[in-house]
Amino acid sequence: MSVHVRPDDVGAPRAQVGPNPQHLLTTLLGEYLDSSDADLPSAAVVAILREFGISESSARAALSRLTKRGLIAVRGTGQPPVYHLTPQAIARHRSRMDHFLSFGARPPRWTGDWVTVSFSIPQSGQAPRHAVRKALGSLGFARLYDSVWIRPGSDSGPVTKALHDILDDVDGGRWSVMHTRFDEEAGPHGPAAAYDLAGLASAYEAFIAQYSDLRVALRNGEIDVTRALVARTSVMDSWRKFPDIDPNLPEHLLPAPWPRQAARDLLLEIHSALGSFAETRLIQIATPYWPDAASWITHFHASDDSVAVPAHGHG
């Protein structure tokens, strides 16, 4: 069974598993290493990425780029180089894994509060208008009307700062940040109209369709260690966009039936069941180049309270 890996728009760099070695390496390091003390030989990285069809030159280029971004660092001055994850990268990976695996575990606490942004920019201000829209999108806002954007919740600090940074020096630029409630929240003129919920539901349904056969194969015992690493990486990489594109609206604003729970159940079953297999495969690949790989390679899983934790400690 072939496992296609879809594009992901989470994190930097934005890319998809397979064709983009830098993104793939970031995903693998985030899933399977959880200590900045681990020495990671470059030859082991080359071997790991080869499992995904990545050439040696591309693997080494990915290592160079992640070093420049500060996610990994070179240990010592020996040749060939030995790398390690930075403490900052470890903290970020833990936070992101928790974000990915806990998303959708429980309904949001709903107060009815929304942050609303309205802005006006002169017709000549195409660049600042684009910058404002990009900033609003990155902060989870959706466009309700032409220059009226909303997001659920009450935290307005980040958007206020972003608008100051972009528009304070723009002649004729005006903006307001407001805390609002909707009189007809669940009606056709309410906030749900700002979101492409039909498109989001279709994305969840496509995820379910894409990986249902993998779940069947898993339940039938047809996924062995050699296939587990690529399969598990694929399903996580396809899922990880959802926590950032799904606004996590309360149930009364969502069309029924809403497919997120079915998609999440599918993710967790595959991700949990293949964790040990994928870890074993990674150790098999890395050990010829990294003799103590088994002491450092681990895997994340969703615990009973839906918080992502390392599966075991390090030796």
Side-chain angles (χ1 to χ4, degrees), residues 162-184:
L163 291 171
H164 271 300
D165 291 344
I166 298 169
L167 293 181
D168 274 0
D169 295 327
V170 175
D171 289 338
R174 300 181 58 203
W175 53 273
S176 299
V177 177
M178 299 161 280
H179 297 267
T180 59
R181 288 173 175 260
F182 287 80
D183 285 348
E184 298 181 19

Side-chain angles (χ1 to χ4, degrees), residues 28 50 58 67 69 115 144-145 149 218 233 258:
L28 291 168
R50 190 184 302 126
S58 295
T67 302
R69 289 176 51 211
V115 178
L144 182 61
Y145 302 114
W149 293 60
L218 177 63
T233 302
W258 187 242

Side-chain angles (χ1 to χ4, degrees), residues 25 29 33 35-50 56 59-60 62-64 67 72-76 78-85 282-283 285-297:
L25 182 55
L29 294 176
L33 281 181
S35 175
S36 60
D37 293 329
D39 289 335
L40 181 60
S42 58
V45 174
V46 170
I48 291 166
L49 292 182
R50 190 184 302 126
E56 178 176 351
R60 295 191 183 280
L63 281 168
S64 176
T67 302
I72 60 175
V74 177
R75 182 106 66 194
Q79 291 295 328
V82 173
Y83 296 86
H84 68 95
L85 285 169
L282 201 56
I283 292 170
I285 297 166
T287 297
Y289 312 93
W290 184 17
D292 60 346
S295 298
W296 299 108
I297 292 174

